[in-house]
Amino acid sequence: MLEPKVWQLTAGSVAVGLVLAAGAVSLAGPWDSGQRKAERRWAAAQDRTGGADHGPPAAHGPAREPAPAPSAPAVLAALGGAAPAAARLPAGLAQKLGKKLGPLLDDPALGTVRTADVIDVATGRRLYGKGPDTPMVPASTVKIATMVAALSALGPEHRIPTTVVAGRDARKLTLVGGGDASLDTRRLCALADDTARALGDRGITAVEIGYDASLYSGPREHPIGPNDNIAPVVALMADEGRLDHSTSGPAPRSGDPAGDAADVFAGLLRDRGVRITATPRPERAPKDAKPLARTYSAPLSALVERTLTESDNDLAESLARQTALAEDEPASFAGAGRAVTEQIEELELPLGHARFTDGSGLSREDRVGASLLTALLARAADPDHPELRPVLTGLPVAGFSGTLRGRYGDDVPARGLVRAKTGTLTGVNALAGTVVDAGGRLLAFAFLAGATPAPDPAQTALDRLSAALGRR
């Protein structure tokens, strides 16, 4: 846990810098052992409700819309128009920044191809650029685009359902996947509780179970093939198909997440006294089936934060497909790519030669320019787009959270000051995020490197670049 003085200095420095940069800015904190207290309050609220809804909404009166995660609505308070002083940049700032960043960007650890873009968020002015529009393999920094598109298409309060529907006599149930990659055993338990209760109310003690994962189309496997970094992309899964009880990072994955989730659900019903008359099998839910029980994901705002903080590939692909469904595109890799592109176009951002072949960044066919990443981050800070704030609140914090928890050591003094999304593939390293400079300006940056000889030296070089933005 952070010492009180360290916490106060870190949080205070960032808060003061953001105020100077944007006029009226607040942090998403406070931090407590690496977790936002707001996120803990949300988790406690989830435990109280159980995450399940017994019976169709009509049976309980008007449906209540779920509230967004408390940490999501505003990391940046509405800017309301930056003060004139904030809009005026000091003379020679860009030149000074160039002298500082140029040698760092030339570090051999960044390989033979590297691009960069740094902008002042309040004015949109570019302060430093090196091939900023050059299409590069973005690795996981592409998740910034995926999350912006999802929030823009669906809104931060959107929640993804997983539903149990029943035939006319309720002796045949179908578990219907809505595409919620965050579904876990805890929520399946709550869903089984509600289902067993509903069956008991009808005097039913034995049922047959099917499962419907037909919401998605196209290939189930990511183009990289079976991989510990991602499960088959299907509309029904539990615990992300993990076979080792982990909750993040690489792990052995199930080859049939939908079937496994249905088996777990059937076992949970047995534990509650319901006899299962046949092994669960895949099927499409009957058109006349009625909802019997339902569980919802956390609000999209919270899912976005988790996706970015932990670089969760399964959630990223899930939210890309939710975006496709919102755009009336097929819920496939290709459909999701088109939907993300359409949303970014609607936001009038500089796509250039961007290409989105997946939502997670595991594909080497993805292409993004550094300038698009900084534009996406700046749009997330735009007072006219508060729905995009979770993109900023979800960025890992240097030395504290997510994929940056173990980075920014003593030789790179920027702990708590840099918030950034990492990107790592073999030979590819990237970093894109925000930092407050010594003058109190909020900067958005993106550094993309290809043909890097080794990951660790490349990551350290990227950390130094981002840290340099906040120095005097």
Side-chain angles (χ1 to χ4, degrees), residues 46-404:
Q46 288 296 101
D47 287 338
R48 286 196 299 272
T49 63
D53 173 28
H54 173 59
H60 300 277
R64 296 191 336 184
E65 289 296 323
S71 58
V75 152
L76 299 176
L79 303 183
R88 292 195 298 269
L89 299 176
L93 177 62
Q95 290 83 352
K96 291 178 182 178
L97 203 55
K99 290 180 180 179
K100 188 187 299 185
L101 296 181
L104 294 173
L105 198 62
D106 288 337
D107 190 326
L110 293 176
T112 57
V113 183
R114 69 289 297 265
T115 65
D117 194 42
V118 180
I119 67 171
D120 173 60
V121 170
T123 64
R125 178 179 168 184
R126 175 172 292 148
L127 301 178
Y128 179 79
K130 181 179 176 66
D133 301 325
T134 302
M136 298 281 286
V137 178
S140 279
T141 60
V142 83
K143 290 183 175 76
I144 294 172
T146 306
M147 299 302 103
V148 166
L151 287 165
S152 180
L154 298 159
E157 296 186 28
H158 177 74
R159 289 170 70 167
I160 308 170
T162 303
T163 308
V164 177
V165 300
R168 187 167 302 172
D169 62 0
R171 298 182 187 280
K172 173 63 185 296
L173 308 182
T174 306
L175 179 64
V176 182
D180 178 15
S182 71
L183 181 67
D184 58 16
T185 301
R186 180 183 66 84
R187 283 178 44 226
L188 273 182
C189 285
L191 187 62
D193 285 339
D194 284 4
T195 302
R197 187 179 305 114
L199 293 172
D201 291 346
R202 292 163 173 79
I204 296 171
T205 59
V207 295
E208 181 181 345
I209 295 179
Y211 60 94
D212 185 347
S214 64
L215 185 65
Y216 291 175
S217 59
R220 295 183 337 132
E221 298 283 352
H222 190 281
I224 63 172
N227 192 283
D228 284 356
N229 287 295
I230 191 169
V233 184
V234 294
L236 175 64
M237 63 171 62
D239 302 311
E240 297 186 338
R242 296 172 179 273
L243 301 177
D244 63 356
H245 305 294
S246 63
T247 57
S248 64
R253 305 303 182 103
S254 166
D256 181 18
D260 288 352
D263 287 342
V264 169
F265 180 69
L268 292 169
L269 283 181
R270 287 191 193 96
D271 293 343
R272 286 151 179 80
V274 179
R275 184 165 63 88
I276 308 301
T277 60
T279 301
R281 64 176 185 270
E283 64 181 19
R284 286 189 179 250
K287 291 183 179 180
D288 61 349
K290 303 297 183 183
L292 190 70
R294 181 177 288 121
T295 180
Y296 287 96
S297 72
L300 182 59
S301 54
L303 298 183
V304 165
E305 288 184 331
R306 172 177 158 183
T307 301
L308 293 172
T309 299
E310 301 297 339
S311 201
D312 192 308
N313 297 310
D314 301 278
L315 267 178
E317 297 298 348
S318 169
L319 299 186
R321 278 160 174 71
Q322 292 293 309
T323 305
L325 293 168
E327 288 288 306
D328 294 323
E329 293 279 1
S332 63
F333 284 106
R338 288 193 297 271
V340 170
T341 299
E342 290 164 13
Q343 282 298 313
I344 294 175
E345 285 177 338
E346 289 181 17
L347 290 169
E348 299 180 347
L349 296 177
L351 271 167
H353 297 287
R355 182 165 72 241
F356 305 104
T357 60
D358 70 357
S360 60
L362 290 172
S363 173
R364 291 179 180 274
E365 300 303 313
D366 291 332
R367 292 293 183 272
V368 170
S371 60
L372 176 56
L373 293 175
T374 56
L376 288 163
L377 292 166
R379 189 52 54 90
D382 188 334
D384 291 333
H385 290 277
E387 74 280 2
L388 303 182
R389 294 291 187 274
V391 171
L392 300 182
T393 63
L395 294 174
V397 178
F400 282 88
S401 67
T403 54
L404 289 184

